[in-house]
Structure formats: structure tokens, C-alpha cells
Amino acid sequence: MKTIATISTPIGSGAIGIIRMSGDKALEIAAKMFTTKKLNSFLEATPNYMYYGTISTSTIKDMVLAVYFKAPASYTGEDLVEFQCHGGIRLVEEIFKGCLENGADVADKGEFTKRAFLNGKISLSDAEGIIDMINAESISAINAGYRLSKGGISDKLSQIQDKILYCVSQLEASLDYPDEMEDESKIDCNKELSQDLIDLKNLLNTSNVGGYIKKGISVAIVGIANVGKSSLLNKLLGRERAIVTNIAGTTRDSIEESIEVNGILLKLIDTAGIRETEDVVESIGVERSLEAAKSSDIVVFITESGRELNSEEKGILEKIKDKKFIKVYNKSDKVAPLSNQNDGIVISAKKGEGIDLLKESIVNTFVTNGIDSSSVVITNQRHAEAIRKAINFIEETLKTLDTQPLELTLVDLRNAYFTLGEITGNCATEDIIDNIFAKFCLGK
Ligand SMILES: Nc1nc2c(ncn2[C@@H]2O[C@H](COP(=O)(O)OP(=O)(O)OP(=O)(O)O)[C@@H](O)[C@H]2O)c(=O)[nH]1
Ligand SMILES: [Mg+2]
């Protein structure tokens, strides 16, 4: 396989720039470019040891750090060399070009991690965990990516695959010796597969929560004009982001900002107050408010403490009644809540009262019992799809075990095995693999 090189740090000026090479010739190419007082030649480099020395290309020189990772104990599983230089854009580029001049090829997006997968260092889902960590926008998303990258899902699915394989071999054997084995192995397989089915369904159930952990929760703050939507947004953010006035119709366009609560990203959308209006701009804003309410994961419906809902508000509630929503009674500092206003959260956006409770309530609506940092959660749509398919195949197997010829049942069972293998990568097609690594950034 060719030796590949790439710039692994973002393009731009920075303290340090990193250039990496992976492949059989990595050490040889590095030795042509890098010299250090410590060694006669970099070919004699001790693995995992960092050397300070000079790098020379046909155009530049720099003082850099170089480290050699010997196959298979490297990220890719191949010989790998990393240069750390001063992080100038042109400087990093010239060192990279130097690697190419000396025999390396340009790496594709994600090619280092792809090689790690092809060399058996990581499973496909482990690699997806690494992308998820890079793209994570919240602590919970980082942690979920980490668990995925550390084999959280591949280990579990491999166990299930092993059990399926055991059933396949049992049933195949009973094809050869039908009289002696058939009934016994059917009972055995039925038991094993029923347990697999429960495990897979439990795993699939985590994918709802998993989606919110990864992407965050979108929260539309909706209500009639002047109830304090923008004041609430500002309080949630901890800064004066939206304009607040006592004039009804202050907010005319939706405003989006994010916060993190218990490690989960909340994407907050402050909206224009909903009311009948002649104003063209405002009425477009009102349409957007309703749109935001419809497309959000949850609506915070805000009204005022100490008064009944008016007909406009009842109209809004009617529109969002099929959505998840939390009622909020604002301005409790001004008027105490009515006795029937115990079906929501009483707050004062002005004084900051009830805000933490509201944040917790939003998150708890989606992620019950917090997030167990050790549990395996499905955060990836591809994985959820494959598990769903595998469940169908196993259900089919269980249904047909007693009624159909074993050969037919075995087709479903093998399909269940292959479908789970698409997640871990042990039965993934080239298309699936290429698709996944195309999502990586250059240099990873
Ligand atoms: N006393 C009191 N006044 C509040 C509270 N929250 C908001 N207000 C006041 O209510 C008025 C309207 O607040 P906004 O936050 O602009 O209300 P809004 O719902 O965004 O209004 P529109 O954008 O016009 O739909 C302002 O004068 C705020 O100071 C509160 O908790 N207590
Ligand atoms: Mg407003």
C-alpha cells in the first residue's frame, strides 16, 4: 500500500502544525528530510520517542519535533511518522510538499482512520465514534462519541453476532442429521434468539435519547406579544441577546442561540409574539413563530402569572397540542400565580426565578434519569436502521423456525448476522465504508 501524507492540523496560522505520514516508506521518507544530533539517521529512531531536529525540503528549513510510531503500534496500524513544526500556513504546506517530493502520496479524507479500520485496529462503529467526537457540539455528544469509539457498540453487537452464528451452525448441523438434532437445536436457538431480540430492542430504544444527545434539543419559546419571551431567552443565555421593551411586537424575526444544560445542547428559538397584525413584517414573523413551534422538539409556551389564558393563547395551545410542550407562567414577581397555575412552571424572567427548574424540565422531558455515562446509547441513524432490520430478520426467523423448511429460516438468520456486521464493519460493503470515511476531515 502506498505511503500517504497529509497536514493534520487546521489550515491557518497556529502555534503548532502537524504533518503525518503513514505506510511502509514513512520512516525512509522522514529520514531524507529530518536530521537530529541524537541519531546518525532517523532510520534508527526509537519508536514513540520524540526527537528535536532540523527538517529540510527543497525550499525551506525549520526546527521541528519528529516522532516515529512503529507498525502495528500506531493509529493506522502501519509505520507512521509525525512532524510538529511552527504553525505557519506556508511552512506547514512546504513540509507537506517535502513529504510528497520524497515519495509520499496525498492522503484522502479520513484515509488514516480508514487504514486503522482496514488494518483491524478499530471497528467501523469505533471510527464513527471518532467522527462524532470531532463534530460534537456538547459534552454529552463528546462522551457518546467516546463510548462509541471505545467499542461500546461493536463489542455488544459482536456478542450478539457470535450467538447468531452459533444458532446458524446448530441449525446447519441439524440439516445434516435431522432426526437426532432438529428439535433440540430448535429449542436452543429459540431461547438464544429470543434473548438477542430483547437486547437489540433495548438497544434500539436508546436511539431516541441518542439523537438528542448528539444533535441537541430544539426549543421554541412561543406565546402572545409582551409575555416575556425575549426576557426568558436572555435569562437562559445569561446575556442580553434579544431586544426587550414594553412595546408589544418587539421581536419580529426568530432568534436562535444555544446553551448547554447537563451536557445537552439546547437550541433556543425566541419568536415573534403571536397576534393579529396589519404590519407586513410582523405578520411574517408570526408565521415564522408558528413554523418554529411546529418544527421544534419542544415548545415552551409562555404566558403570564395571575391571569387566565386569553382566547389568542387558547388558539396557540390548540395548534401545539400534539407537540411536547411546557407551560410557563412568567412575571410571578408582579402578580402571584392563580391556584390553577400549577400545571406548568412559574418563573420570573426579570428576577431569574424558576429558570434552572425550567432548564432541567426541558432536558428531563427527553433524557430521563440523566445520562448514564457508561451505558451504550445509539446515536447514529445508520446503526439504528441496521438494528431495526436485524430485529425484523430475527423475528422472521423465530416465526418460521417451526413452520418452514430450515433452509428458509437460515436465510433470515444469516441476514440478521450480516446486517449487524454492517455496523461493526465485519460485513460492510465498500460503499458503506467509503461513505463513512468521506465524512472525515482531511488529515484524520
Ligand atoms: N415584572 C416583570 N416584567 C417582565 C418579566 N419578563 C418580562 N417582563 C417585561 O415585559 C415586557 C415585555 O418583555 P419581552 O421580553 O420583550 O416580551 P416578548 O414576549 O419578547 O415580547 P414580543 O417580542 O413583543 O412578543 C418588558 O417590559 C419586560 O421588561 C418578568 O418576569 N417580570
Ligand atoms: Mg420578544
Side-chain angles (χ1 to χ4, degrees):
M1 212 176 320
K2 61 188 187 183
T3 296
I4 47 170
T6 192
I7 300 169
S8 289
T9 37
I11 303 300
S13 304
I16 296 168
I18 296 179
I19 298 100
R20 290 204 293 184
M21 283 190 285
S22 177
D24 293 344
K25 293 215 175 75
L27 190 63
E28 187 187 313
I29 297 170
K32 288 190 208 163
M33 305 166 69
F34 177 77
T35 53
T36 172
K37 282 183 188 153
K38 285 258 162 75
L39 301 169
N40 291 323
S41 159
F42 195 60
L43 290 172
E44 296 158 12
T46 306
N48 309 332
Y49 188 89
M50 210 168 234
Y51 293 93
Y52 181 61
T54 310
I55 199 161
S56 316
T57 74
S58 61
T59 50
I60 56 103
K61 276 183 193 299
D62 184 23
M63 297 308 293
V64 303
L65 291 167
V67 59
Y68 165 53
F69 299 99
K70 190 173 162 53
S74 73
Y75 182 68
T76 53
E78 304 170 335
D79 266 7
L80 193 149
V81 173
E82 192 172 303
F83 294 124
Q84 299 189 5
C85 62
H86 296 109
I89 303 177
R90 291 289 288 128
L91 178 58
V92 173
E93 266 177 17
E94 288 309 312
I95 294 174
F96 169 56
K97 280 189 202 158
C99 297
L100 304 184
E101 278 168 12
N102 284 294
D105 283 295
V106 182
D108 283 338
K109 270 181 164 185
E111 195 170 356
F112 282 74
T113 313
K114 186 175 181 177
R115 288 188 176 197
F117 164 65
L118 294 174
N119 290 322
K121 299 284 290 187
I122 53 172
S123 76
L124 206 51
S125 50
D126 297 349
E128 288 173 298
I130 297 172
I131 324 177
D132 286 354
M133 283 183 78
I134 292 174
N135 293 335
E137 291 179 282
S138 67
I139 289 173
S140 66
I142 295 174
N143 289 334
Y146 178 74
R147 289 198 292 276
L148 187 56
S149 75
K150 293 313 255 181
I153 284 167
S154 55
D155 290 353
K156 206 171 173 81
L157 293 181
S158 297
Q159 283 166 16
I160 296 179
Q161 272 191 306
D162 286 348
K163 288 202 271 171
I164 293 177
L165 215 50
Y166 166 78
C167 293
V168 169
S169 57
Q170 284 283 90
L171 295 178
E172 275 175 348
S174 67
L175 275 179
D176 296 335
Y177 306 98
D179 297 339
E180 295 144 53
M181 294 183 68
E182 195 162 342
D183 281 348
E184 205 178 302
S185 52
K186 275 183 183 172
I187 294 168
D188 199 16
C189 289
N190 199 311
K191 201 172 127 219
E192 285 285 357
L193 294 174
S194 303
Q195 186 55 49
D196 289 347
L197 203 56
I198 294 171
D199 289 348
L200 286 174
K201 283 184 175 171
N202 285 340
L203 208 52
L204 186 61
N205 273 338
T206 66
S207 67
N208 275 339
V209 173
Y212 297 121
I213 287 176
K214 187 165 166 181
K215 290 197 237 96
I217 300 166
S218 60
V219 184
I221 305 171
V222 172
I224 60 167
N226 243 358
V227 288
K229 299 178 294 299
S230 301
S231 304
L232 174 60
L233 174 81
N234 290 346
K235 237 348 168 236
L236 287 167
L237 291 176
R239 64 191 167 91
E240 299 305 306
R241 167 67 179 85
I243 299 171
V244 168
T245 73
N246 58 4
I247 302 162
T250 302
T251 307
R252 297 182 144 219
D253 201 353
S254 302
I255 301 175
E256 287 194 38
E257 291 288 340
S258 297
I259 55 167
E260 211 170 306
V261 177
N262 300 344
I264 306 270
L265 193 72
L266 297 189
K267 296 173 178 166
L268 306 168
I269 308 150
D270 176 25
T271 63
I274 294 171
R275 61 173 186 166
E276 286 293 326
T277 172
E278 297 290 304
D279 185 305
V280 181
V281 180
E282 195 183 349
S283 66
I284 296 172
V286 170
E287 267 171 44
R288 289 195 178 175
S289 306
L290 293 169
E291 217 26 68
K294 256 190 238 154
S295 58
S296 64
D297 295 316
I298 186 166
V299 174
V300 167
F301 171 75
I302 170 162
T303 176
E304 286 164 323
S305 167
R307 67 163 174 81
E308 297 291 347
L309 296 185
N310 66 24
S311 60
E312 235 164 359
E313 291 178 309
K314 286 179 187 155
I316 299 172
L317 269 188
E318 185 55 32
K319 288 201 177 86
I320 59 167
K321 68 174 190 300
D322 295 330
K323 290 206 68 90
K324 284 198 171 79
F325 71 89
I326 296 181
K327 255 192 212 170
V328 167
Y329 299 103
N330 188 30
K331 308 192 186 181
S332 63
D333 59 288
K334 207 159 97 185
V335 190
L338 305 174
S339 58
N340 64 356
Q341 291 183 327
N342 53 7
D343 58 343
I345 297 174
V346 177
I347 68 163
S348 162
K350 191 173 186 173
K351 296 255 168 81
E353 286 160 10
I355 303 294
D356 286 342
L357 180 63
L358 175 60
K359 285 184 190 172
E360 297 277 334
S361 309
I362 295 170
V363 171
N364 289 342
T365 307
F366 296 89
V367 188
T368 39
N369 311 323
I371 309 156
D372 180 350
S373 59
S374 62
S375 60
V376 176
V377 176
I378 300 290
T379 48
N380 184 305
Q381 212 38 50
R382 187 182 84 81
H383 300 170
E385 268 322 303
I387 291 174
R388 202 167 286 135
K389 272 201 256 166
I391 287 174
N392 285 341
F393 283 128
I394 294 179
E395 278 175 343
E396 239 2 79
T397 306
L398 286 171
K399 235 190 270 167
T400 58
L401 201 54
D402 285 322
T403 54
Q404 301 269 343
L406 269 188
E407 286 88 344
L408 287 181
T409 306
L410 272 164
V411 172
D412 283 324
L413 199 51
R414 286 199 193 96
N415 278 336
Y417 178 86
F418 290 131
T419 310
L420 293 179
E422 285 176 7
I423 300 177
T424 57
N426 60 15
C427 319
T429 62
E430 209 153 304
D431 279 358
I432 295 178
I433 295 168
D434 287 347
N435 224 330
I436 287 168
F437 289 102
K439 290 183 196 141
F440 272 67
C441 37
L442 270 175
K444 190 68 197 169

